[in-house]
Amino acid sequence: MNELQIKDEVLGTGKETVKGALLITQYEGFLEDGTKFDSSYDRGAPFKCVFGTGRVIKGWDLGLVGMREGGKRTLHVPSQLAYGERQVGALISPHSNLIFHIELLEVLTRD
């Protein structure tokens, strides 16, 4: 897999993602073999990130463009848009392609 693959599972109808907005999401992350390596659901709290500013992996910054509140999206993120050559934790080895199931709960902007 060399390219980011984006599949909308549910189209949201709320506010759209914009650069600099605080996104409130729930997500699960999987390796290609189906191993779950992370889940905000399992932690019991949504994941918050500032969109489009390089604070998350590039696959998220590219993959959440145009997503709207209430939407659910699956991202197949090639390693170069994830962690590349780095080992992350015990489960994500170098050059791992990752799969994320993301639910966009809220888009908070300063306006």
Side-chain angles (χ1 to χ4, degrees):
M1 176 172 59
N2 292 323
E3 293 184 27
L4 178 66
Q5 297 172 23
I6 300 168
K7 181 178 183 215
D8 283 306
E9 309 293 347
V10 175
L11 286 174
T13 56
K15 284 200 290 190
E16 188 172 339
T17 57
V18 292
K19 186 173 180 176
L22 179 67
L23 305 185
I24 305 196
T25 68
Q26 291 277 24
Y27 75 91
E28 292 182 309
F30 296 89
L31 302 176
E32 286 183 301
D33 68 4
T35 302
K36 181 166 47 172
F37 63 82
D38 195 11
S39 170
S40 61
Y41 297 101
D42 292 350
R43 285 196 301 275
F47 175 71
K48 299 174 183 175
C49 63
V50 177
F51 177 66
T53 59
R55 302 237 177 108
V56 292
I57 62 169
K58 196 166 188 109
W60 271 52
D61 273 346
L62 296 172
L64 298 183
V65 170
M67 194 172 180
R68 293 184 174 274
E69 290 174 336
K72 293 183 179 183
R73 187 172 274 185
T74 298
L75 302 179
H76 288 259
V77 181
S79 67
Q80 71 270 19
L81 297 178
Y83 298 105
E85 297 178 1
R86 291 181 297 162
Q87 170 85 29
V88 178
L91 294 175
I92 302 174
S93 57
H95 307 288
S96 290
N97 297 324
L98 305 177
I99 300 164
F100 291 94
H101 300 290
I102 301 168
E103 180 179 4
L104 182 56
L105 304 176
E106 199 169 359
V107 176
L108 298 174
T109 54
R110 293 199 176 109
D111 52 11

